[in-house]
Structure formats: C-alpha cells, structure tokens
C-alpha cells in the first residue's frame, strides 16, 4: 500500500499515459489506488490526460466520499472490486474502443470472453469474464461486478468497457492495455481463419499468470 501523495502522483502519470495512447476518449474512464487513508480516485467528468494531484477525490473503501471534488459515479465499481479482490491495490476502468466493440458482440461466452490469441494475453489477463449491460454506476452493475471479479483480474462490461485490478496502478494499467490490444487483434481477425495459442500450452500459461498474481516470479 503506497502513501497518498505517491498515489496521487501515480494516478496523474497513468491518466496522461492512457490519454496519450488514445484509450480515454472525452471524459471516459476512471482510475483508483488504495492508500492508508482510503481510496484515491479520479473525479467525475474529468479528462484523464489533465488530472492534477490536488484535484483527485478521496473515498472510503465502500465508495463514500471523504474529501476533494465529487468522485466519479463509477467509484462504487472500484469499491466493489476491492471488496472481493483484497489483494488489489489499484483499478483501471476504461471505455476504450476495441474493448467496448468486442463487449457488444453477440454470442460471447460470459465465462471466457476473450480468445486465446497470444501467450501474454493469457499470462496477463487470465480468464476474462463478460457481464451483461447495466446502467453505469447502478446497483445492479455494482452487484454483478462484485460477483464476477472474484478470482479474476479483468472484466468486460457489455456496451461499456473494461475493468482491470492488480497490485499496483502500473500493473493494472498494463493489464488494461493488454486487454484492449487483445480485443483489437480479435476484431482485426474477425471471421478469418487463424491460429490461437495451442490448447496444450494454455493451461501452463494461465498458471504462470496465477503465479504472477500471487507475487511469484514469472519469466519475462
């Protein structure tokens, strides 16, 4: 757990990087980091590329506003993740184009929503669950996110975007980028015949990701 000042600086840097990568259109997306005082989270209607350390919000672990500007209405999603993923220190929630597009496709399996296209998508993302559409910030969405995130790093929210949780904001950001790129690859491939990661290799790669999640060394 990092101190609050470091968390604020990290959120500002992460927001600018995600903006520069084109993953945060308009005022979409929100970020959070757990500190000893509570959760530092991006405020409502903020552009992630223009965050300032003293302009961030502080909420309790249940999402209740403590200090700073009004937090994103999706702060309750972050709180839901932290309730179930007590090992998580940061959450990145994006409305990035490829992830949103993939989340809208009919027939996606809810329990395994991204195809196994690369080794590192399996290691970094693990099994990605997709949940149905609910209004942003709604109690129904919070409840489903809280159920679905157990044992997972990443979720796809139908017609909405992605959530990625990890120990640090840097790791959560890298995971969100990997999810976006995997969705982009899947969309580029479309219905074309292609070669996914061989079935025989998938279980070992998923185990590597689980070891990484537990803090063990994984080959890079």
């Amino acid at each position: 757990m990092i101190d609050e000042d470091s968390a604020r600086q990290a959120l500002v840097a992460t927001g600018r990087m995600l903006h520069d990568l084109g993953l945060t259109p308009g005022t979409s997306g929100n970020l959070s980091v757990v500190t000893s005082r509570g959760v530092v989270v991006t405020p409502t209607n903020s552009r992630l590329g223009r965050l300032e350390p003293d302009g961030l919000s502080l909420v309790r672990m249940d999402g209740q506003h403590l200090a700073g500007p009004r937090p994103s209405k999706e702060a309750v999603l972050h709180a839901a993740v932290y309730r179930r993923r007590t090992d998580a220190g940061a959450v990145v929630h994006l409305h990035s184009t490829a992830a949103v597009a993939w989340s809208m496709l009919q027939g996606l399996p809810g329990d395994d929503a991204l195809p196994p296209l690369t080794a590192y998508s399996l290691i970094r993302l693990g099994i990605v669950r997709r949940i149905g559409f609910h209004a942003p910030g709604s109690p129904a969405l919070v409840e489903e996110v809280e159920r679905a995130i157990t044992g997972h790093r990443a979720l796809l929210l139908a017609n909405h975007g992605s959530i990625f949780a990890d120990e640090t904001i840097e790791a959560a950001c890298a995971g969100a980028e990997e999810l976006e790129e995997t969705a982009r690859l899947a969309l580029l491939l479309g219905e074309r015949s292609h070669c996914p990661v061989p079935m025989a290799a998938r279980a070992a790669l998923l185990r590597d990701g689980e070891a990484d999640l537990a803090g063990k060394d994984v080959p890079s």
Side-chain angles (χ1 to χ4, degrees):
M1 185 181 298
I2 65 175
D3 64 84
E4 186 177 339
D5 287 343
S6 297
R8 290 174 180 272
Q9 294 292 341
L11 282 182
V12 169
T14 300
R16 289 176 180 167
M17 181 176 69
L18 291 169
H19 173 268
D20 291 346
L21 290 170
L23 302 181
T24 63
T27 60
S28 69
N30 32 82
L31 317 170
S32 69
V33 173
V34 176
T35 75
S36 59
R37 287 192 63 212
V39 179
V40 179
V41 64
T42 49
T44 189
N45 293 323
S46 58
R47 288 183 176 269
L48 295 192
R50 296 182 180 178
L51 300 173
E52 296 294 340
D54 59 358
L56 299 172
S57 307
L58 185 69
V59 302
R60 295 193 329 192
M61 290 295 284
D62 62 2
Q64 182 175 336
H65 189 197
L66 290 175
R70 185 160 59 95
S72 167
K73 66 183 175 183
E74 293 184 318
V76 289
L77 291 184
H78 296 243
V81 172
Y82 293 132
R83 282 195 291 272
R84 291 293 185 182
R85 283 283 314 281
T86 56
D87 59 310
V91 171
V92 171
H93 170 44
L94 299 178
H95 304 177
S96 51
T97 303
V100 173
W102 188 257
S103 79
M104 296 166 64
L105 296 180
Q106 293 184 350
L108 287 183
D111 289 337
D112 194 359
L114 278 177
L117 297 180
T118 69
Y120 273 90
S121 70
L122 288 165
I123 293 171
R124 173 67 68 177
L125 303 176
I127 301 298
V128 179
R129 299 189 67 181
R130 175 187 178 272
I131 64 176
F133 177 77
H134 300 283
S138 66
L141 178 59
V142 171
E143 290 173 10
E144 193 159 359
V145 164
E146 187 169 354
R147 285 195 300 268
I149 198 67
T150 303
H152 296 271
R153 292 172 174 169
L155 298 178
L156 270 178
L157 315 182
N159 305 75
H160 188 159
S162 65
I163 291 177
F164 198 94
D166 215 317
E167 184 177 351
T168 67
I169 189 64
E170 293 82 7
C173 179
E177 291 177 71
E178 187 75 45
L179 193 155
E180 174 70 6
E181 287 307 304
T182 302
R184 191 187 308 278
L185 280 173
L187 290 166
L188 285 171
L189 289 167
E191 297 298 320
R192 298 178 182 88
S193 179
H194 63 276
C195 298
V197 173
M199 182 67 73
R202 295 179 197 177
L205 292 167
L206 289 170
R207 285 196 299 271
D208 283 348
E210 290 169 359
D212 188 31
L213 189 61
K216 302 175 184 176
D217 291 334
V218 173
S220 60

